[in-house]
Amino acid sequence: MFRQAVPCRIHRRCQSQTQIERLISVTLRYTINIVIKSFAHKELKDFFDTGKKPGIQPHHAAKLGRQLARLDNAKHATDMNVPGWGLHPLTGKLAGRHSVTVNGNWRMTFKFEGEDAVLVDYQDYH
């Protein structure tokens, strides 16, 4: 993922150029590129923020992580239209929301307000 640590020639206190790159990456993510504004599922938010898996199916973690990463960079629901994810709009009381398949009956649902994803949920359809 990150390059091998290279000593920083500019700042003697920096342990590596890689640390500076990580800081810039994290700063940009949290100051510019926040698209997911709210979660309806507390454990899904915890998984997104920390990678901790309680509250989600462990075998869904890899795909759910990819879906959340894509959603966090999406500007419209159609940006989630990846083959195999089964993006579709919901109807009835959930009209205005979209769903993608995680696995089996499990879905991640979300709604867009402008260019921001809100009410991101993880649920088992029965």
Side-chain angles (χ1 to χ4, degrees), residues 78-101:
T78 55
D79 293 340
M80 295 295 290
N81 194 13
V82 174
W85 287 6
L87 173 70
H88 62 278
L90 300 176
T91 57
K93 67 180 183 174
L94 296 176
R97 301 187 71 176
H98 288 78
S99 173
V100 291
T101 301

Short mmCIF file of all heavy atoms in Angstrom, two decimals, residues 78-101:
data_model
loop_
_atom_site.label_atom_id
_atom_site.label_comp_id
_atom_site.label_asym_id
_atom_site.label_seq_id
_atom_site.Cartn_x
_atom_site.Cartn_y
_atom_site.Cartn_z
N THR A 78 -25.75 6.33 -9.05
CA THR A 78 -25.31 5.54 -10.20
C THR A 78 -23.82 5.21 -10.16
O THR A 78 -23.38 4.28 -10.83
CB THR A 78 -25.63 6.27 -11.53
OG1 THR A 78 -25.06 7.57 -11.49
CG2 THR A 78 -27.13 6.37 -11.73
N ASP A 79 -23.06 5.92 -9.34
CA ASP A 79 -21.64 5.60 -9.18
C ASP A 79 -21.46 4.25 -8.48
O ASP A 79 -20.37 3.69 -8.49
CB ASP A 79 -20.92 6.68 -8.39
CG ASP A 79 -20.84 8.00 -9.13
OD1 ASP A 79 -20.99 8.00 -10.37
OD2 ASP A 79 -20.63 9.04 -8.47
N MET A 80 -22.52 3.73 -7.88
CA MET A 80 -22.48 2.43 -7.20
C MET A 80 -22.89 1.29 -8.12
O MET A 80 -23.02 0.16 -7.70
CB MET A 80 -23.39 2.45 -5.97
CG MET A 80 -22.95 3.41 -4.89
SD MET A 80 -21.37 2.95 -4.16
CE MET A 80 -21.84 1.49 -3.26
N ASN A 81 -23.10 1.58 -9.39
CA ASN A 81 -23.55 0.57 -10.35
C ASN A 81 -22.38 -0.27 -10.84
O ASN A 81 -21.88 -0.10 -11.94
CB ASN A 81 -24.28 1.24 -11.52
CG ASN A 81 -25.05 0.24 -12.34
OD1 ASN A 81 -25.26 -0.89 -11.92
ND2 ASN A 81 -25.47 0.67 -13.51
N VAL A 82 -21.94 -1.18 -9.99
CA VAL A 82 -20.81 -2.07 -10.27
C VAL A 82 -21.39 -3.44 -10.60
O VAL A 82 -22.31 -3.90 -9.91
CB VAL A 82 -19.88 -2.15 -9.04
CG1 VAL A 82 -18.80 -3.19 -9.24
CG2 VAL A 82 -19.29 -0.78 -8.73
N PRO A 83 -20.89 -4.10 -11.64
CA PRO A 83 -21.41 -5.44 -11.96
C PRO A 83 -21.36 -6.37 -10.74
O PRO A 83 -20.35 -6.44 -10.04
CB PRO A 83 -20.48 -5.94 -13.07
CG PRO A 83 -19.96 -4.69 -13.70
CD PRO A 83 -19.85 -3.68 -12.58
N GLY A 84 -22.46 -7.05 -10.50
CA GLY A 84 -22.54 -7.98 -9.38
C GLY A 84 -23.07 -7.37 -8.10
O GLY A 84 -23.38 -8.09 -7.16
N TRP A 85 -23.19 -6.06 -8.03
CA TRP A 85 -23.69 -5.42 -6.82
C TRP A 85 -25.19 -5.21 -6.87
O TRP A 85 -25.81 -4.95 -5.85
CB TRP A 85 -22.99 -4.10 -6.55
CG TRP A 85 -21.57 -4.25 -6.07
CD1 TRP A 85 -20.85 -5.40 -5.96
CD2 TRP A 85 -20.71 -3.20 -5.64
NE1 TRP A 85 -19.59 -5.13 -5.50
CE2 TRP A 85 -19.48 -3.79 -5.29
CE3 TRP A 85 -20.84 -1.83 -5.52
CZ2 TRP A 85 -18.40 -3.05 -4.82
CZ3 TRP A 85 -19.77 -1.10 -5.06
CH2 TRP A 85 -18.56 -1.70 -4.70
N GLY A 86 -25.80 -5.30 -8.03
CA GLY A 86 -27.25 -5.23 -8.15
C GLY A 86 -27.86 -3.93 -7.66
O GLY A 86 -28.87 -3.94 -6.96
N LEU A 87 -27.26 -2.81 -8.03
CA LEU A 87 -27.82 -1.51 -7.63
C LEU A 87 -29.25 -1.38 -8.14
O LEU A 87 -29.54 -1.67 -9.30
CB LEU A 87 -26.98 -0.37 -8.22
CG LEU A 87 -27.55 1.04 -8.01
CD1 LEU A 87 -27.47 1.44 -6.54
CD2 LEU A 87 -26.82 2.04 -8.89
N HIS A 88 -30.16 -0.99 -7.24
CA HIS A 88 -31.53 -0.71 -7.67
C HIS A 88 -32.19 0.27 -6.70
O HIS A 88 -31.87 0.30 -5.52
CB HIS A 88 -32.35 -2.02 -7.77
CG HIS A 88 -32.50 -2.74 -6.48
ND1 HIS A 88 -31.53 -3.58 -5.98
CD2 HIS A 88 -33.52 -2.76 -5.58
CE1 HIS A 88 -31.94 -4.09 -4.84
NE2 HIS A 88 -33.14 -3.60 -4.57
N PRO A 89 -33.11 1.09 -7.24
CA PRO A 89 -33.85 2.01 -6.37
C PRO A 89 -34.90 1.24 -5.59
O PRO A 89 -35.45 0.26 -6.06
CB PRO A 89 -34.48 2.99 -7.35
CG PRO A 89 -34.58 2.24 -8.63
CD PRO A 89 -33.43 1.28 -8.65
N LEU A 90 -35.18 1.70 -4.39
CA LEU A 90 -36.20 1.08 -3.57
C LEU A 90 -37.53 1.81 -3.76
O LEU A 90 -37.55 2.96 -4.18
CB LEU A 90 -35.78 1.08 -2.10
CG LEU A 90 -34.47 0.34 -1.81
CD1 LEU A 90 -34.08 0.48 -0.36
CD2 LEU A 90 -34.60 -1.13 -2.19
N THR A 91 -38.61 1.13 -3.44
CA THR A 91 -39.94 1.71 -3.62
C THR A 91 -40.70 1.64 -2.29
O THR A 91 -40.19 1.14 -1.29
CB THR A 91 -40.74 0.94 -4.70
OG1 THR A 91 -40.81 -0.44 -4.31
CG2 THR A 91 -40.05 1.05 -6.05
N GLY A 92 -41.91 2.12 -2.30
CA GLY A 92 -42.75 2.07 -1.10
C GLY A 92 -42.26 3.04 -0.06
O GLY A 92 -41.87 4.17 -0.36
N LYS A 93 -42.23 2.58 1.21
CA LYS A 93 -41.81 3.47 2.30
C LYS A 93 -40.32 3.83 2.24
O LYS A 93 -39.88 4.75 2.90
CB LYS A 93 -42.17 2.87 3.66
CG LYS A 93 -41.40 1.63 4.02
CD LYS A 93 -41.80 1.11 5.37
CE LYS A 93 -40.94 -0.09 5.74
NZ LYS A 93 -41.20 -0.55 7.09
N LEU A 94 -39.56 3.10 1.44
CA LEU A 94 -38.12 3.39 1.28
C LEU A 94 -37.83 4.10 -0.05
O LEU A 94 -36.67 4.14 -0.48
CB LEU A 94 -37.31 2.10 1.38
CG LEU A 94 -37.37 1.39 2.74
CD1 LEU A 94 -36.62 0.08 2.68
CD2 LEU A 94 -36.83 2.27 3.84
N ALA A 95 -38.83 4.64 -0.68
CA ALA A 95 -38.64 5.35 -1.95
C ALA A 95 -37.61 6.47 -1.76
O ALA A 95 -37.57 7.13 -0.73
CB ALA A 95 -39.96 5.93 -2.44
N GLY A 96 -36.77 6.63 -2.76
CA GLY A 96 -35.71 7.63 -2.69
C GLY A 96 -34.38 7.04 -2.24
O GLY A 96 -33.35 7.70 -2.31
N ARG A 97 -34.41 5.81 -1.76
CA ARG A 97 -33.20 5.14 -1.33
C ARG A 97 -32.79 4.14 -2.39
O ARG A 97 -33.58 3.74 -3.24
CB ARG A 97 -33.42 4.44 0.00
CG ARG A 97 -33.84 5.43 1.09
CD ARG A 97 -33.90 4.81 2.42
NE ARG A 97 -32.52 4.54 2.83
CZ ARG A 97 -32.18 4.06 4.01
NH1 ARG A 97 -33.10 3.76 4.88
NH2 ARG A 97 -30.92 3.85 4.31
N HIS A 98 -31.52 3.71 -2.34
CA HIS A 98 -30.99 2.70 -3.25
C HIS A 98 -30.40 1.56 -2.44
O HIS A 98 -30.08 1.72 -1.26
CB HIS A 98 -29.92 3.31 -4.16
CG HIS A 98 -30.48 4.21 -5.19
ND1 HIS A 98 -30.87 5.49 -4.92
CD2 HIS A 98 -30.72 4.01 -6.50
CE1 HIS A 98 -31.34 6.05 -6.02
NE2 HIS A 98 -31.25 5.17 -7.00
N SER A 99 -30.22 0.43 -3.10
CA SER A 99 -29.71 -0.76 -2.44
C SER A 99 -28.67 -1.44 -3.32
O SER A 99 -28.80 -1.45 -4.54
CB SER A 99 -30.88 -1.72 -2.16
OG SER A 99 -30.40 -2.94 -1.66
N VAL A 100 -27.64 -2.00 -2.67
CA VAL A 100 -26.69 -2.88 -3.35
C VAL A 100 -26.60 -4.17 -2.56
O VAL A 100 -26.74 -4.17 -1.33
CB VAL A 100 -25.28 -2.26 -3.52
CG1 VAL A 100 -25.30 -1.10 -4.51
CG2 VAL A 100 -24.70 -1.80 -2.20
N THR A 101 -26.39 -5.27 -3.25
CA THR A 101 -26.30 -6.58 -2.61
C THR A 101 -24.92 -6.76 -1.98
O THR A 101 -23.90 -6.52 -2.64
CB THR A 101 -26.52 -7.69 -3.65
OG1 THR A 101 -27.81 -7.51 -4.22
CG2 THR A 101 -26.43 -9.07 -3.01
#
